[in-house]
Amino acid sequence: MTYVGQSASAARQTAPERATVKDVVAAYVGLTKPRVIELLLLTTVPVMFYAARGVPDLGLVVATVIGGTFSAGSASVFNCVYDRDIDEQMRRTRRRALPRHIVSPRAALVFGFALGILSTVILYVWVNPLSALLSVLANAFYVFGYTMLLKRRTTQNIVWGGIAGCFPTLIGWTAVTGSLSWTPVVLFLVVFFWTPPHTWALALRYREDYANVDVPMLPVVASASTVGRQIVVYSWLMVATSLLLWPVADTGLFYPVAAAVLGAAFLLEAHRMWARTRGTEDLSVIQPMRLFHSSNLYLSLLFVAVALDPLISR
């Protein structure tokens, strides 16, 4: 069964709003997508703890966090500018700054470039050139690879486009060590396999929105059961990869135990959601947001375990 949405021709027109200074400031902050930044930093700082085998230098953490925040914010701003046409039509995004005309596209572009330049300078000067380069690559991949090339063209948009969100694991590691190794690559892959279940659960909840603007997210073009099956496949790959860190990075016992428990809980939730898709497309039955929120909790706790392992295992 294929889910079919309405045509994108029925575009919703939004009249400009009068904005206070507080509204404008909030709008600029909103353009950076703070919740996305929180997730990215959540995978950066714990990796720094693991790379340092303890507590990393506070100044280095602050510089990496600020540089990473500005970089991720810059990429999000460019995404908002490019996607402002479809954001006006989607329930989930129509209250953003550009659809409400609180910030002009030109002003948003200037803001995005300013954040990107500041990010690169901060990381280059106060962290190291390799971290700065990785940050620029992540920004460019999100804007050109995902937003402009993949998002509106293929159901694999979030699978490959999600690579940009994996870079913080590399940046956190290189910030401390100045080089790359297999340890951050394994964590990179954990986030890579985590992204489809996380995003498809949300896209399933808002599949009508994506269908209305002709964005071919998997839940738009495939049945809920197919989406559920794909989520289960990627969830197993994610959990298996998370356990691979144990032999690759020679962690203590705390990490693999935590990863196994968290992985089992997430797999149970993924299989339960898949079971709820059998024979129905009713979202009130499928409850995809349960998996979405579970994915946030899983990633948060897994990377907390990454940070704590060297402290507990010493």
Side-chain angles (χ1 to χ4, degrees):
M1 177 177 179
T2 301
Y3 182 83
V4 180
Q6 298 173 355
S7 170
S9 60
R12 176 182 178 272
Q13 299 297 323
T14 307
E17 300 180 9
R18 291 184 180 180
T20 65
V21 173
K22 182 179 178 181
D23 290 334
V24 173
V25 171
Y28 274 100
V29 172
L31 285 171
T32 65
K33 301 182 182 178
R35 290 184 178 179
V36 174
I37 291 175
E38 288 175 11
L39 279 173
L40 295 178
L41 295 181
L42 182 67
T43 59
T44 305
V45 177
V47 174
M48 296 182 72
F49 273 73
Y50 194 84
R53 287 298 195 176
V55 180
D57 179 76
L58 179 59
L60 182 64
V61 173
V62 170
T64 306
V65 165
I66 293 175
T69 297
F70 286 173
S71 177
S74 170
S76 293
V77 172
F78 291 137
N79 172 266
C80 286
V81 172
Y82 190 84
D83 279 348
R84 64 189 185 278
D85 58 330
I86 62 176
D87 281 350
E88 282 198 359
Q89 302 171 60
M90 296 178 66
R91 288 173 299 164
R92 188 171 65 87
T93 57
R94 64 177 54 155
R95 299 299 297 171
R96 288 177 177 172
L98 289 169
R100 293 170 64 197
H101 305 285
I102 295 177
V103 178
S104 70
R106 181 177 180 179
L109 278 176
V110 172
F111 182 51
F113 278 113
L115 287 176
I117 293 169
L118 279 172
S119 164
T120 305
V121 170
I122 290 169
L123 291 173
Y124 188 92
V125 174
W126 284 287
V127 183
N128 58 56
L130 179 56
S131 295
L133 174 62
L134 290 170
S135 176
V136 171
L137 290 175
N139 192 323
F141 192 89
Y142 184 74
V143 175
F144 297 107
Y146 171 65
T147 302
M148 299 178 69
L149 179 63
L150 296 171
K151 183 174 180 178
R152 307 191 192 200
R153 290 180 172 86
T154 172
T155 58
Q156 296 297 300
N157 49 19
I158 199 58
V159 176
W160 301 108
I163 287 175
C166 306
F167 271 80
T169 59
L170 306 182
I171 294 169
W173 184 270
T174 58
V176 174
T177 66
S179 62
L180 286 169
S181 74
W182 284 111
T183 297
V185 171
V186 170
L187 292 170
F188 178 103
L189 291 173
V190 170
V191 181
F192 176 79
F193 291 127
W194 169 87
T195 301
H198 170 76
T199 308
W200 285 336
L202 182 66
L204 188 58
R205 166 65 179 83
Y206 292 100
R207 62 184 180 178
E208 183 179 352
D209 272 357
Y210 286 109
N212 287 342
V213 294
D214 296 327
V215 173
M217 299 294 284
L218 183 65
V220 173
V221 301
S223 68
S225 180
T226 298
V227 175
R229 183 174 66 251
Q230 289 295 308
I231 283 175
V232 165
V233 170
Y234 276 94
S235 297
W236 274 99
L237 290 171
M238 174 190 73
V239 173
T241 305
S242 73
L243 293 171
L244 184 62
L245 186 68
W246 181 20
V248 168
D250 191 25
T251 70
L253 285 177
F254 175 77
Y255 172 79
V257 170
V261 171
L262 292 170
F266 189 84
L267 287 172
L268 179 62
E269 188 61 46
H271 277 276
R272 282 176 172 172
M273 196 200 83
W274 185 24
R276 292 194 297 270
T277 65
R278 310 290 170 77
T280 184
E281 298 290 327
D282 187 346
L283 295 181
S284 66
V285 173
I286 299 170
Q287 301 178 62
M289 294 304 287
R290 281 184 53 177
L291 185 71
F292 174 78
H293 294 305
S294 295
S295 68
N296 285 333
L297 184 61
Y298 169 83
L299 195 70
S300 301
L301 294 179
L302 183 74
F303 275 83
V304 166
V306 170
L308 291 179
D309 185 80
L311 300 175
I312 293 173
S313 303
R314 282 194 297 183

